[in-house]
Amino acid sequence: MTDVRKPRRRSATASRTNDPERTKANIIQVATEEFSEVGYSGARIDRIADRMHTSKRMIYYYFGSKEALYSAVLLEYYRKLRGAEADLQLDEKPPLEALKELVEFTFDYHAANADNVRLVMVENIHKGRHIKQMPSLEPINTAVIDMVGRICARGAESGVIRGDVKPWDIYTSIAALCFFNVSNRYTFSAIFNHDMISDEAATARRAEVVDMVIRYVKA
């Protein structure tokens, strides 16, 4: 009779030893879901461990504390967002086209990562307490302001963008318009009986946001 046995599950220790970076990435991914769903105060390390079918001890081995894990989640969110923006290679495109693409990307990114929008809202509830203690975030995030600045400078030089527009104002307006469409879509849909949830409504709103930004900056 053939001896058929189930494959043995790799232990958390083995996973940690063989591929620690992948293990840390998996923890951050699951922790992002937990913090987004129930906030910082409501999140529990034991629930994160249960979702991963591992132990709390392994999570603490990598991150030391719940607060350190939460900070790692925030750092990863901004690193992914800014990395995706950099991948657009907007410095190589005509100014107005580059700005249009940035708006479209920002709108789509927030819509596709609604859980992460809640994560940012959680940190705002805490008045940015954790982000203030993360100086490494500043150079990561200022990169997008620098990128918008270069687009504006090229646009002003070629006469297609007003010379008095400020990169900070432009990007904060883009972020606000795109973020709001996800963060408030359920309440506004109910309060005003206006569809903000369907794909059709999102597509229309996306075009409106692009139009508003381009009209504002055009010379």
Side-chain angles (χ1 to χ4, degrees):
M1 182 176 179
T2 304
D3 184 12
V4 179
R5 300 180 182 179
K6 292 182 179 180
R8 299 173 66 181
R9 176 179 292 178
R10 295 175 64 192
S11 68
T13 302
S15 175
R16 184 175 69 206
T17 301
N18 295 337
D19 198 346
E21 291 305 314
R22 181 177 180 182
T23 301
K24 288 174 67 175
N26 289 340
I27 294 171
I28 289 174
Q29 180 181 349
V30 176
T32 298
E33 297 170 2
E34 174 75 7
F35 287 121
S36 296
E37 289 172 6
V38 296
Y40 176 76
S41 301
R44 296 289 180 268
I45 296 296
D46 54 356
R47 274 203 300 266
I48 297 171
D50 287 344
R51 289 185 180 195
M52 295 190 65
H53 306 291
T54 189
S55 65
K56 293 198 301 183
R57 182 180 179 183
M58 187 188 73
I59 295 175
Y60 284 123
Y61 171 84
Y62 279 114
F63 296 97
S65 66
K66 173 182 170 181
E67 185 171 15
L69 175 57
Y70 177 68
S71 295
V73 165
L74 288 172
L75 176 61
E76 185 63 13
Y77 164 73
Y78 284 109
R79 285 178 59 184
K80 283 185 176 179
L81 172 58
R82 301 311 174 206
E85 288 168 343
D87 288 343
L88 297 174
Q89 298 182 336
L90 299 181
D91 287 328
E92 302 174 8
K93 299 173 182 178
L96 289 178
E97 179 185 327
L99 201 56
K100 176 178 180 291
E101 187 170 338
L102 178 61
V103 177
E104 292 173 338
F105 164 82
T106 306
F107 191 97
D108 294 343
Y109 191 91
H110 287 318
N113 296 276
D115 288 350
N116 291 336
V117 168
R118 291 198 298 270
L119 182 68
V120 175
M121 294 168 68
V122 166
E123 182 59 10
N124 275 285
I125 289 173
H126 290 278
K127 299 181 180 179
R129 174 165 60 92
H130 301 89
I131 283 181
K132 289 176 183 177
Q133 300 172 16
M134 300 169 63
S136 60
L137 276 180
E138 184 175 350
I140 292 174
N141 285 304
T142 53
V144 69
I145 305 298
D146 295 339
M147 180 171 66
V148 173
R150 293 192 299 273
I151 294 172
C152 292
R154 290 191 294 114
E157 185 178 356
S158 61
V160 297
I161 291 179
R162 289 171 25 221
D164 60 342
V165 294
K166 298 178 181 178
W168 164 259
D169 292 337
I170 295 173
Y171 184 72
T172 52
S173 295
I174 292 172
L177 290 166
C178 297
F179 189 93
F180 183 91
N181 204 69
V182 177
S183 66
N184 289 56
R185 59 186 174 185
Y186 295 109
T187 53
F188 263 52
S189 292
I191 291 170
F192 297 107
N193 192 29
H194 181 83
D195 180 19
M196 291 180 65
I197 301 170
S198 70
D199 291 342
E200 182 180 359
T203 299
R205 183 59 181 166
R206 180 180 187 261
E208 290 165 0
V209 173
V210 170
D211 187 54
M212 280 187 277
V213 173
I214 297 301
R215 283 175 181 267
Y216 173 73
V217 302
K218 283 182 72 173

